[in-house]
């Protein structure tokens, strides 16, 4: 089983749509969880951290289910500028834990 | 603004030559630097981790004699791809981790270097 698994997509949605991405991770000792955004031929950029209590940042909502080892990202009222690849990232346990990246889910928002 | 820079941003070289990529943390001291490689439509794969002043730790399957990493100072790490071949063509991204103001100890990514070996 891969350490971090995501549906590669692509997700093609119209502007204004709500879209949800899911991710599962295999290491139950993982400590921290993130969603990154990567534009074509660019470096990944941190979108938001993910907490068990859930967190919201504007149109973006992230959720973590530790029992199921499942992470989600919800984008509401999607914009053209949201088109990108969304990477699910898990950090291993301990202070030196490394970031493990999923392959990413590609989102394309159409007018 | 950017907190980690990479140079060059892209490079084309001939097979058999060596290429050096620099990674700098701009306004903080990076105690740890990471080098990743990303092939098209693939995830970022960690190649190696380096701590300032010590030898890099390479991930399984990454040849340490081919990918030379030097982390000589708290703000600079270099990756040298020796005797590059077309299969080494990829997007190389560095990342630096250290204490940076109120944000605490976080990991920041450089803009990446696109290497094409002909």
């Amino acid at each position: 089983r891969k350490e971090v698994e995501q549906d590669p997509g692509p997700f093609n949605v119209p502007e204004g749509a709500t879209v949800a991405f899911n991710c599962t991770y295999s290491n139950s000792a993982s400590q921290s969880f993130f969603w990154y955004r990567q534009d074509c031929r660019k470096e990944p950029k941190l979108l938001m951290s993910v907490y068990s209590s859930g967190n919201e940042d504007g149109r973006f909502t992230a959720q973590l289910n530790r029992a199921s080892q499942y992470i989600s990202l919800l984008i509401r009222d999607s914009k053209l500028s949201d088109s990108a690849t969304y990477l699910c990232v898990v950090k291993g346990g301990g202070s030196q834990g490394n970031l493990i990246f999923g392959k990413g889910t590609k989102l394309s928002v159409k007018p | 603004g950017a907190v980690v820079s990479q140079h060059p941003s892209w490079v084309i070289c001939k097979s058999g030559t060596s290429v050096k990529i620099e990674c700098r943390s701009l306004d903080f001291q990076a105690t740890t630097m990471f080098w990743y490689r990303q092939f098209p439509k693939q995830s970022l794969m960690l190649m190696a981790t380096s701590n300032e002043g010590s030898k890099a730790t390479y991930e399984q399957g990454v040849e340490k004699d081919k990918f030379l990493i030097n982390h000589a100072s708290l703000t600079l790490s270099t990756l040298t791809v020796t005797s590059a071949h077309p299969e080494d063509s990829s997007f190389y991204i560095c990342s630096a981790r250290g204490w940076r103001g109120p944000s605490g100890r976080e990991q920041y990514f450089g803009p990446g270097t696109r290497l094409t070996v002909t």
Side-chain angles (χ1 to χ4, degrees), chain A residues 18-89:
Chain A
T18 295
V19 60
F21 303 139
N22 303 318
C23 167
T24 56
Y25 60 96
S26 61
N27 186 352
S28 59
S30 300
Q31 295 292 313
S32 307
F33 310 88
F34 311 91
W35 283 101
Y36 276 72
R37 169 193 170 130
Q38 186 175 26
D39 293 288
C40 189
R41 295 176 174 261
K42 299 285 187 181
E43 78 278 21
K45 294 186 177 176
L46 180 63
L47 181 65
M48 58 198 305
S49 300
V50 190
Y51 307 109
S52 297
S53 55
N55 51 308
E56 189 173 312
D57 183 1
R59 298 180 293 108
F60 299 83
T61 301
Q63 196 78 45
L64 165 67
N65 184 322
R66 282 190 183 270
S68 303
Q69 295 179 205
Y70 172 96
I71 305 161
S72 65
L73 176 68
L74 184 75
I75 304 176
R76 290 181 299 278
D77 188 24
S78 52
K79 311 290 184 191
L80 295 177
S81 57
D82 293 334
S83 297
T85 297
Y86 290 82
L87 307 174
C88 178
V89 183

Side-chain angles (χ1 to χ4, degrees), chain A residues 36 38-46 87 91 95-104 106, chain B residues 32 34 36 38 41-44 46 49 51 59 91 93 97 105-107 109-112 114:
Chain A
Y36 276 72
Q38 186 175 26
D39 293 288
C40 189
R41 295 176 174 261
K42 299 285 187 181
E43 78 278 21
K45 294 186 177 176
L46 180 63
L87 307 174
K91 185 178 178 186
S95 61
Q96 301 301 317
N98 292 330
L99 298 181
I100 310 295
F101 287 81
K103 278 192 175 182
K106 187 172 182 180
Chain B
T32 306
F34 305 87
Y36 294 85
Q38 186 177 33
K41 299 188 179 182
Q42 299 295 314
S43 58
L44 270 75
L46 181 65
T49 303
N51 293 300
E59 295 299 302
F91 190 44
I93 304 173
R97 184 168 70 193
R105 190 163 171 269
E106 292 193 16
Q107 188 168 333
F109 286 85
R114 191 159 299 279

